[in-house]
Structure formats: structure tokens, C-alpha cells
Amino acid sequence: HVMPKNDPHLDLTVQSTSGSFSDRWNKNNRAEKVYEDALRRLNLPAGQYLLKRARDGVILTLSEKLEDLGLVDGDVLILQAAQPQDG
């Protein structure tokens, strides 16, 4: 079915080594919302992952809105384990 053009939601897929899922988020949400939902859905510990856009490998700034990050319907995001800090 065709979405109305002014629909404020994005259908996104989140992938990780623990599995993947698709859901809809409001594009006015911050990336943090997707990140937290993904951690909860996939039972992953907080603070150890980065959220990355699959098509260009850009790491998303969690405080930015989905719309401002340039995400579009059908984008795939990857939850990637952050590299441990040396020290």
C-alpha cells in the first residue's frame, strides 16, 4: 500500500549480530530512540554499540532527529559493537 507523502513515520530495519527487526519510528524522534528500542528488542547491553547507516557506513549521532540525519523509508541500520577504548 502507498503511504501518504506527509506520513511522519519511517520504516527502518535494524541489524546486529544478535538478530534483526523492522519497525516504524517517527522521523521527529532522535536516533537515540531507535537505538534504545533496538537494544531492548535484541537484549543487548547499553553503551557498547554504535548505530550505523548501512548504505554509506555513517555513524549516526544519537542526539539528532532521524529526519535531520537524512534517513529514508526502508533504510537499514546496523548496531555495531563499539571498539573498546585503550587504557
Side-chain angles (χ1 to χ4, degrees):
H1 60 260
V2 179
M3 287 299 203
K5 278 283 173 262
N6 60 356
D7 184 68
H9 292 87
L10 294 173
D11 286 300
L12 302 173
T13 298
V14 179
Q15 296 179 343
S16 79
T17 50
S18 307
S20 68
F21 71 97
S22 298
D23 209 338
R24 299 181 76 206
W25 286 274
N26 191 308
K27 54 187 163 197
N28 291 317
N29 280 333
R30 299 182 192 281
E32 190 173 24
K33 169 102 172 91
V34 177
Y35 179 77
E36 288 175 351
D37 287 352
L39 293 180
R40 195 169 60 240
R41 293 274 290 267
L42 299 168
N43 288 317
L44 297 171
Q48 297 178 23
Y49 291 86
L50 302 170
L51 195 59
K52 202 166 92 169
R53 186 166 57 206
R55 64 182 147 94
D56 55 11
V58 168
I59 292 170
L60 302 181
T61 306
L62 297 182
S63 58
E64 297 264 330
K65 289 181 180 177
L66 301 180
E67 185 173 39
D68 295 342
L69 289 164
L71 292 173
V72 297
D73 241 10
D75 257 343
V76 175
L77 304 180
I78 298 169
L79 262 187
Q80 185 179 46
Q83 298 307 310
Q85 300 299 313
D86 288 330

